[in-house]
Amino acid sequence: MTTDRLALLAGLLKELRRRSGLTQQQLAEKAEVSESTVRRLESGRAPNPTLQSLARLQDALGAGPRERRQVAELLANGPGGEAGAARAAGASGGATDAEGATDVDGTPGADGTPGADGTPGADGAGPGRLRAPAGPSGTLVRDEVLAAARDLALEVRRRWRLEEEQRRVHDPFPLPVRWRRTDAALGDHEANVERLLPGAAVPRPADLSGDLPTVAEFYRRRPSGRLVVLGRAGSGKSVLTIRFLQDFLESRSAADRVPVIFSIGSWDPAASTLRAWMTERLVRDHPHLADRVAGSSTAGALVEADLVLPVLDGFDELAEGLRVRALERLNEFSSPLVLTSRREEFAEAVEAAGTPLVWAAVIELADLTVEDVASYLPRTARRTRDAARTGAWDGVVERLRAGGGGRGAALAGALRTPLMTSLARTLYSERPGADPAELLDGREFPDESSIEEHLLAGFVPAVYRSGRGRRSPDPERAAHWLGYLAHHLADPDRERQDLAWWEIGDFLPRGRRVLSVVLAGTVCTVLSTWLIGLLIGRLPVWVTLLQGALMGPVAGLAFGFVYAVRLARGGGSFEPAYVRLRLRLPRGAPVAGPGRGAAVRGGPVRAFAARFGAVMAGGAVMGVGCGCALTFQRQLYYGVPALNLEVLKGTAVNMLVFGLIFGAGAGLVFGLLAVFEAPLDVASAADPPSLLAADRAVVRWQLLAVVPLLSLSVAFGGGLIVALLDGGVLGELNWERWDGLYIGAVAGLGGGLSYALSFTAWGCWVVRARLWLPLTGRLPWDTAAFLDDAYRRGVLRQAGAVYQFRHVRLQHHLGREYRRRQTARSHRWAPVEADGGRGEAG
C-alpha cells in the first residue's frame, strides 16, 4: 500500500476505536490479534496488513457497511488488488474468510462467524464450529447488488404469496404438513451438519419433528444451512417450500440470502453448473436481472455474491441417469441450499453416488392422519339449505374414524397425502350432486390405487363442469388439449415439467416447423410484393402478380433454409426478448443474437458487432434467393433460357451482389436495434401472460423500426454497393433508383414480417400455437386464454415465467390418457405417423 493509503487506513481505524471506547490493548484482546499489530496499523507502519487481521479488527470494532467499503477501497490497489479488497471486506460490508463466506451487511456474526462475545451468529457458527459454507464470490458486493437483492426479495415474496392464494392453501385452513428427522443414512454426519471443528464434542442427534410453520425456524438453526425435505408424491413438498420461503422472508434481515424456488427437474447437471443454471433461471423469471452490474448480469452478481438461497424443488423429477451427477454437482456447490425429493429416488441416488448431500440435515414429511382428513373434508362442503348436501361427508368420515380393514382402510390410505385429499375436495365438495359415499364402494374401488386413479381422472372434468365463465370449454375437449400438452412434455430421454408458451410450437415435428417457416415467409413476401407493386404501379398488374408468385416461394425457401440450418446446429426454441427498445443510448447495450432470450449487456460497439455477425449470414441467404428469383422472372417474362452460359453468369453475379446488399442491410439494421435495447423493468414479465404481452410489444416496436430501416438500407445501401462494384471484376452493374426503392420496400415489409413470424418467440407462437395446432385440433384457438383459464381453475400452476401442471402425477395421468385415446383412434381410423419420436395420430 502507498503511504497515503496507509495513513488513511490508520486514521479510519483510530476513529473506529475511539468511537468504540476501547484501548489498543482491549481491542487486541477482543480481536484476538497482537497489540503490536494494532499499534503498527494505527501508526501507518504496516505496509502489508494481513486480510485476516483487518477482518477481525473490523468485527471487533463493529464496523458498518460504509467503513468496510472504505477499507476495501483503500486495499483495492494494495496486495491482491480488488480481489484482496473483496476478501478483506466484501464491499458493503462483511469479511470473507478463506472459505469465501461473505458477510453482506458488515454486522459481526451475520454470516455465521462468532460475534464479539463468542456466541453463535445467525447461521449457528460459534466456538468450536466452522463457518457456514458460502460460495466464493471473489468480487466486491456493490450497493447495486444489495439493492437488487432487496428488490428480488420483495418480488419473490409477492409472487409466491399470490401463488399460495391461487392454490387455496388456506381455504378453509391449511392441511397439516408434519415432518420428522428421517433415516440417518440419507444425511451427512451430525458433526458435519453442525459444522464442528475436529475434536469438538459431537452432540447426540435430536429426534426432532415439527409442522409447516416451524420448518424455517428449524432451518435457521442448522449451522450448515443445508436441508433435504423428503416425502411421497403429493405429500406437500411444494407447499412446504412456499411456506418456508414466506416465513424465511418474513424474518429476513439485510444479512440473509434471498430464498428463490427453482424447479430442479429442468437442470442438466452434465451441461452446466448449478450457479450458471440458476443465473439463467433468474433472468428468465426476473428479466430486469439481465442488467449489467459488477462486471456481469445482475443475476450472475447475486449468485456469485452468495445472496441467493436456492430452494431446489423436485430432485426426483430429474432424469434417472442425471441424478447421481446432479448430487455430485450439488456437493461441489459449497453454499447453503434446500432440496426436496421423493424418498425412493433420493435414496437411490445417495446409494449410487456413495455419498449423501454433504452438510445436509434430512427431514421427511409424514402422511396425513385419519383425523386430519376427517376434520378437513367436511369443512370444505359449502353450507346450503340442503342439509344432506352440507353433511355429504358425514358417512365417509364416520367410516374413516371407525378404522379397521375393508373399504374405509382403502380410502384412508388413498387420502393420506394432501394432493389426493384436495382432489377429493374438488370432486365431491365443489361439484353439485356428487356423493363422496361412492368412494366406499368396494367393487368399484377395491384398493388405494383405484381410488387415486379415479380422483386423478375426475379432476379435470370436475373443474371444467363447474361453469366458470360463459365460454367454459367442454370437459372432454379440455382434457384432450391438456393431454396433448402433458404428452409432449414427456420426452423419451428426459421429462419436463416447465410448460413455456414459447416452446409449445416446438411440439410439432422438425419438418413441420421448417414448413411453417417456409409458408410464413412465402405468404409475407407474396403479399408485400403485390402490395408495393400495385401501389407503385410502374409495371402491368400481371407482371406484379408474377413477381410476387416467384419471389414469395423463393424467399420462403430461403427463410426455411436458414431455420433448418439453425435446427441442425442444435438451436432450440426462440426465447422471449427480455428487452425493451428505448431511443436514448443505454450505458451498455445488450448483446444477443436473434431469438435469444436474456440479453448480455456490453458496450454499444460490441452489441452492434455481435448482432451484425449473427444476422448478416441470414440476410445474405435471402439475397441469394432474390437473385435466383430474378432469373426465373426473366425466363418467364422475356423467354430467356435459364441454362444459357451468359444467363448463368448473370445469375451468379446477381446472387453475389444481392447477398452483399441484403446481408449488409439486415446486419446494419439489427445491429442498430441491439444498441438501443435494454432489460425489462423490475415489475415486467412477472407471469406467462405478462411475458407474452411484453414480447408482443417488443416485436411490434421491432417491426416499426425494421420495416423502414431495412427498406432504406437495401435501397440506398444497394446503390452504394453497386456503385463500388460497377465496372470491376463483376462487369457492368445496373441499379436504377426506382428498382432500388421497389426492392427495398419489398425487402423491408416482407422481410420484416417474415422475421417477426419466423424468428421471434411471439411469431412462432402465433403461427404454430394460434394457427397450426388449432387447425389440426390439438389446441384451442385462443391458447393463451385457455392456459390462463386452466391456471385459474387449478389445473396448472405458475412457476415464474412458465406454467406447470398442478402435480407431476396429474401430468402423467393426462399424458397417459391422451396416448391411450390416440392409440385407440389410430387403430380405428388411420395408421399412426411419426411425431417427434412419440407417435401421434395424423
Side-chain angles (χ1 to χ4, degrees):
M1 293 179 64
T2 65
T3 303
D4 291 340
R5 288 178 178 269
L6 284 173
L8 291 173
L9 177 62
L12 176 61
L13 292 177
K14 283 190 287 187
E15 175 62 18
L16 288 173
R17 184 173 61 80
R18 184 189 63 78
R19 287 191 336 211
S20 65
L22 299 174
T23 66
Q24 288 184 342
Q25 181 180 4
Q26 291 171 331
L27 175 59
E29 292 174 353
K30 188 174 182 180
E32 297 180 352
V33 298
S34 66
E35 187 176 350
S36 62
T37 298
V38 177
R39 284 199 301 268
R40 287 200 311 272
L41 283 171
E42 291 192 357
S43 63
R45 292 185 289 105
N48 294 306
T50 64
L51 303 179
Q52 186 177 18
S53 298
L54 284 173
R56 289 179 176 177
L57 287 171
Q58 290 178 89
D59 291 341
L61 293 168
R66 183 172 62 83
E67 290 84 4
R68 291 177 184 267
R69 280 198 301 275
Q70 290 175 346
V71 172
E73 290 167 0
L74 291 173
L75 293 175
N77 291 338
E82 186 167 311
R87 288 193 297 271
S92 226
T96 304
D97 64 4
E99 292 179 348
T102 303
D103 173 6
V104 297
D105 74 341
T107 55
D111 65 345
T113 59
D117 60 354
T119 57
D123 291 340
R129 282 195 171 94
L130 295 168
R131 285 190 172 201
S137 64
T139 59
L140 293 177
V141 183
R142 304 183 187 278
D143 290 339
E144 303 98 295
V145 182
L146 293 173
R150 183 187 65 247
D151 293 341
L152 178 63
L154 294 173
E155 178 62 15
V156 164
R157 187 178 184 189
R158 183 190 68 82
R159 290 191 190 187
W160 287 107
R161 184 173 65 247
L162 293 175
E163 184 65 20
E164 193 175 46
E165 293 172 356
Q166 172 63 26
R167 298 188 191 189
R168 302 168 65 189
V169 171
H170 301 283
D171 180 16
F173 61 86
L175 275 165
V177 178
R178 303 183 186 88
W179 54 267
R180 61 177 182 273
R181 292 293 291 267
T182 188
D183 186 0
L186 297 180
D188 203 354
H189 297 287
E190 195 68 18
N192 293 337
V193 175
E194 295 292 327
R195 301 294 292 150
L196 297 176
L197 291 168
V202 181
R204 184 175 181 179
D207 186 18
L208 295 174
S209 61
D211 55 11
L212 197 61
T214 63
V215 67
E217 178 186 352
F218 172 77
Y219 172 81
R220 285 187 179 277
R221 295 202 305 269
R222 299 308 97 199
S224 64
R226 291 189 154 205
L227 177 67
V228 176
V229 181
L230 304 179
R232 67 172 74 248
S235 60
K237 297 184 294 295
S238 296
V239 172
L240 180 140
T241 61
I242 297 175
R243 181 39 41 195
F244 167 81
L245 181 142
Q246 296 284 0
D247 292 341
F248 191 95
L249 288 175
E250 179 128 7
S251 57
R252 176 183 178 270
S253 67
D256 284 332
R257 301 168 179 88
V258 181
V260 180
I261 297 176
F262 298 93
S263 297
I264 195 176
S266 61
W267 177 39
D268 184 355
S272 63
T273 64
L274 183 63
R275 292 182 188 277
W277 175 77
M278 286 165 52
T279 301
E280 293 175 357
R281 284 298 180 266
L282 281 173
V283 171
R284 185 197 71 179
D285 297 336
H286 306 273
H288 69 283
L289 295 181
D291 204 356
R292 187 177 179 83
V293 65
S296 66
S297 67
T298 304
L302 287 169
V303 172
E304 290 303 320
D306 201 31
L307 290 172
V308 174
L309 171 61
V311 181
L312 306 174
D313 188 21
F315 178 84
D316 53 279
E317 294 170 2
L318 284 163
E320 185 176 356
L322 295 176
R323 291 176 193 148
V324 173
R325 180 56 177 153
L327 188 57
E328 294 172 350
R329 286 277 196 178
L330 292 176
N331 283 335
E332 295 169 3
F333 180 77
S334 60
S335 297
L337 59 84
V338 177
L339 179 72
T340 74
S341 176
R342 290 202 295 258
R343 178 190 174 92
E344 293 77 11
E345 285 79 356
F346 183 77
E348 291 173 1
V350 168
E351 183 176 358
T355 178
L357 182 63
V358 296
W359 307 319
V362 183
I363 62 175
E364 186 171 7
L365 302 187
D367 292 338
L368 296 177
T369 65
V370 169
E371 190 57 36
D372 293 334
V373 177
S375 300
Y376 180 80
L377 287 175
R379 290 177 60 176
T380 62
R382 302 307 180 196
R383 288 184 174 274
T384 66
R385 294 182 180 180
D386 184 355
R389 175 65 189 146
T390 302
W393 287 100
D394 292 348
V396 176
V397 167
E398 183 179 350
R399 185 66 60 88
L400 289 173
R401 283 175 168 158
R407 292 172 286 179
L411 181 57
L415 299 180
R416 59 186 168 176
T417 63
L419 171 65
M420 290 300 159
T421 299
S422 64
L423 292 181
R425 164 193 177 155
T426 301
L427 262 67
Y428 295 104
S429 292
E430 301 175 2
R431 189 160 55 103
D435 185 5
E438 67 182 21
L439 295 172
L440 298 172
D441 187 342
R443 289 174 297 181
E444 184 74 20
F445 308 112
D447 51 27
E448 295 178 19
S449 62
S450 61
I451 296 176
E452 291 176 352
E453 284 300 311
H454 166 71
L455 295 175
L456 288 168
F459 175 68
V460 170
V463 298
Y464 280 96
R465 286 195 186 102
S466 62
R468 298 182 189 179
R470 292 178 297 176
R471 303 179 61 182
S472 179
D474 177 75
E476 292 186 6
R477 295 188 66 80
H480 171 76
W481 295 330
L482 291 167
Y484 174 82
L485 297 172
H487 162 66
H488 281 277
L489 290 177
D491 189 271
D493 300 320
R494 184 174 171 211
E495 186 172 41
R496 295 173 290 169
Q497 280 72 49
D498 291 348
L499 179 60
W501 59 261
W502 60 90
E503 294 179 346
I504 291 177
D506 287 352
F507 291 169
L508 288 171
R510 286 194 169 196
R512 297 183 192 177
R513 277 181 270 162
V514 174
L515 180 58
S516 71
V517 173
V518 172
L519 292 176
T522 299
V523 172
C524 291
T525 306
V526 167
L527 295 179
S528 300
T529 305
W530 288 349
L531 177 63
I532 301 299
L534 293 175
L535 287 176
I536 293 178
R538 297 186 70 240
L539 295 174
V541 174
W542 73 271
V543 175
T544 300
L545 297 179
L546 176 63
Q547 282 184 334
L550 290 173
M551 291 293 297
V554 172
L557 289 172
F559 276 101
F561 174 78
V562 173
Y563 183 79
V565 170
R566 182 181 184 276
L567 287 180
R569 296 178 61 182
S573 305
F574 290 102
E575 296 183 8
Y578 300 111
V579 295
R580 54 191 171 91
L581 294 178
R582 57 182 180 183
L583 295 179
R584 63 188 182 89
L585 189 68
R587 289 176 298 173
V591 178
R596 295 289 298 170
V600 180
R601 293 178 55 97
V605 175
R606 180 184 170 198
F608 178 87
R611 187 69 62 83
F612 183 91
V615 174
M616 183 180 64
V621 173
M622 308 305 164
V624 169
C626 180
C628 295
L630 285 177
T631 298
F632 291 133
Q633 177 192 343
R634 288 174 181 174
Q635 182 183 15
L636 293 176
Y637 187 65
Y638 297 107
V640 178
L643 298 180
N644 183 283
L645 184 60
E646 290 298 321
V647 173
L648 292 177
K649 179 182 177 181
T651 301
V653 171
N654 282 340
M655 292 168 62
L656 175 60
V657 175
F658 277 110
L660 289 173
I661 293 172
F662 279 68
L668 175 64
V669 171
F670 283 95
L672 288 174
L673 287 181
V675 172
F676 290 95
E677 288 176 352
L680 293 173
D681 297 326
V682 174
S684 300
D687 50 49
S690 299
L691 184 57
L692 177 60
D695 196 56
R696 179 173 59 244
V698 169
V699 173
R700 287 175 177 172
W701 280 107
Q702 285 179 336
L703 273 177
L704 289 175
V706 166
V707 172
L709 290 178
L710 187 58
S711 300
L712 294 174
S713 64
V714 170
F716 295 101
L720 178 61
I721 290 175
V722 169
L724 292 174
L725 298 177
D726 188 22
V729 178
L730 300 180
E732 293 185 4
L733 302 176
N734 181 38
W735 185 266
E736 294 184 6
R737 181 184 305 171
W738 283 106
D739 288 340
L741 291 175
Y742 174 62
I743 294 174
V746 171
L749 183 59
L753 290 173
S754 299
Y755 160 78
L757 293 178
S758 303
F759 293 93
T760 66
W762 175 79
C764 293
W765 159 266
V766 170
V767 172
R768 299 169 195 169
R770 293 296 310 272
L771 294 175
W772 190 300
L773 291 172
L775 278 171
T776 56
R778 267 73 169 184
L779 290 176
W781 285 105
D782 194 346
T783 306
F786 173 73
L787 293 175
D788 187 60
D789 181 61
Y791 167 67
R792 303 296 173 192
R793 295 173 186 269
V795 180
L796 301 177
R797 63 189 183 190
Q798 285 183 4
V802 300
Y803 291 108
Q804 293 176 344
F805 279 90
R806 174 180 181 143
H807 195 275
V808 69
R809 288 197 64 181
L810 179 62
Q811 176 182 324
H812 290 168
H813 173 81
L814 291 171
R816 190 167 56 245
E817 286 299 302
Y818 176 84
R819 289 187 288 273
R820 182 187 62 77
R821 290 192 302 269
Q822 293 302 106
T823 301
R825 179 187 172 204
S826 65
H827 288 166
R828 182 176 179 182
W829 299 106
V832 174
E833 65 181 41
D835 181 34
R838 291 181 288 275
E840 181 178 311

